[in-house]
Amino acid sequence: MSERAGEMTVATAFAGMRKVVPVVFRAGCPDCRGRFELAASALRLAIGASSRTTFYSFTCPGCGAAVRKPAGERIVELLTGGGVRTLRLHSTV
């Protein structure tokens, strides 16, 4: 298959890639004070109608505590860009 001017094949687009490095996020547990790295699959992001109802959560791998932390605009950007599963909370009003 030949490339037309200005078009790129999949093979050309990915030719320089060697491997995909998984995204990890640094986190800390307020209960046991443990610090660790979590894969995107270990985190959940809930986006609410306001900053008070937007948060991310995970289970501490050290002590098993359910951890919930507020997520500002930058955190939301980083988590969604890193593939964290997102739940959009809808208003009931």
Side-chain angles (χ1 to χ4, degrees):
M1 178 187 269
S2 65
E3 291 182 43
R4 288 187 275 177
E7 289 186 22
M8 182 181 298
T9 66
V10 173
T12 303
F14 293 101
M17 293 183 78
R18 299 281 182 248
K19 67 177 183 175
V20 176
V21 178
V23 176
V24 293
F25 297 93
R26 291 187 184 154
C29 177
D31 288 357
C32 71
R33 303 263 187 234
R35 296 194 119 355
F36 37 84
E37 291 184 342
L38 295 172
S41 61
L43 296 157
R44 298 292 174 264
L45 174 64
I47 300 177
S50 72
S51 59
R52 287 190 1 236
T53 57
T54 299
F55 61 91
Y56 65 98
S57 62
F58 58 91
T59 301
C60 175
C63 70
V67 179
R68 180 175 159 164
K69 294 188 175 186
E73 200 172 301
R74 181 69 179 136
I75 298 294
V76 169
E77 217 175 276
L78 291 170
L79 294 177
T80 55
V84 172
R85 196 163 59 174
T86 304
L87 171 68
R88 296 200 181 268
L89 305 175
H90 296 285
S91 174
T92 57
V93 178

